Amino acid sequence: MDIGIIEAPTVKQLFIEKIAGMILSGELKPGDKLPSERELAAQARISKSAVHFAMAELERLGFVKTNARHGTYVCDYAKTGNIDTLSLLIHFNNESFLDREHMKD
C-alpha cells in the first residue's frame, strides 16, 4: 500500500492564504493600509521573517504593494495580478464552493 507523501503547509503559506482570503472575500479592500510586518507577526503569533516573505509573495501575486516608509496597501488584484493570482483565486473559490456544499448537508 502506498499512501503517498503527506505535506503540511508552512506558516508562511498559511499566512498568505489568510491575507489573500481576506482580500478575496472583500474584508480587505483596494487602498486599505495593512499593519506593519511587526504588528502582523505579533497578531498572528508568527515570526517577522515569515510575515516578511509572505508579504513579498503577496506583492508578487498582485494582492499588495509596499511603499518604502509609507506602508503596505491592498491592490486591485484584478488589475495587478498574474497567472499565479488566477490559480490562487480558483483555489479560493473552489474551497468556498466546497464549504457552501458542505453547509447544505
Side-chain angles (χ1 to χ4, degrees), residues 15-85:
F15 186 81
I16 290 169
E17 289 176 8
K18 176 69 174 178
I19 298 298
M22 292 173 76
I23 293 169
L24 294 172
S25 72
E27 187 175 341
L28 291 172
K29 297 178 180 11
D32 285 353
K33 184 177 181 182
L34 298 180
S36 70
E37 290 181 3
R38 184 180 314 258
E39 291 170 313
L40 288 170
Q43 287 177 21
R45 295 187 179 153
I46 61 176
S47 73
K48 186 176 172 291
S49 64
V51 171
H52 176 75
F53 290 117
M55 296 307 285
E57 180 66 8
L58 286 164
E59 187 164 10
R60 187 188 72 77
L61 290 168
F63 286 110
V64 300
K65 177 69 177 159
T66 300
N67 297 318
R69 300 179 195 217
H70 294 286
T72 301
Y73 296 85
V74 176
C75 293
D76 181 355
Y77 63 87
K79 294 179 182 175
T80 58
N82 56 43
I83 191 72
D84 294 329
T85 312

